Structure formats: C-alpha cells, structure tokens
Amino acid sequence: GQVDDALVVPAMAVQMDGPDYYVLTPNPDPQGEPLETPVTIGLSDGIDTQIVSGLEEGDEILIPMEGMPEEGFIARDERGAA
C-alpha cells in the first residue's frame, strides 16, 4: 500500500550504498561536495520513489544526471504541493 504523507522524489535522485539509500542534498558551503542524506524509501514505480523518512517536505535534493552538473530539485509531497 500507499504510505500516507510520504514525500515523492524522482527515482533517479535516490542512490544506493549497499543496503542503504541516500539522496544528495546541497552543501551549505558552496565549495563543498553535495551531502549524502540517508533516507528510508517506500514504494517506487521506477519513475518516482516515496521517501518515508530522512527528508522534510520542501527540502532541496540534487538529481545526478549522466554527464550533466547536478540539477537542483525541490522535494514535493504526494498531493503535488511544493
């Protein structure tokens, strides 16, 4: 089933590190590397992935794109509100 009030992010934003999952978030230091923020995921359809814990609504995440600089993305909730 669905997880109520779960945040949804693009599946490509969620990275795997062994059994753990994380998303990249902007470093407060502009010169710093993006931060790996651990998350617990829920359902994924391969396009969008639910984030059960680890992110708050409105948190900015970075989406790694092949051959592209990281692109910022704002986490949104399932109701589509940013």
Side-chain angles (χ1 to χ4, degrees), residues 64-81:
M65 307 287 270
E66 284 298 317
M68 300 280 289
E70 273 104 6
E71 171 189 328
F73 183 88
I74 303 293
R76 64 188 194 279
D77 71 17
E78 290 231 300
R79 294 179 297 279

Side-chain angles (χ1 to χ4, degrees), residues 18-36:
D20 302 318
Y21 296 92
Y22 65 91
V23 295
L24 295 176
T25 55
N27 193 318
D29 176 357
Q31 305 302 316
E33 293 288 313
L35 304 176
E36 293 183 5

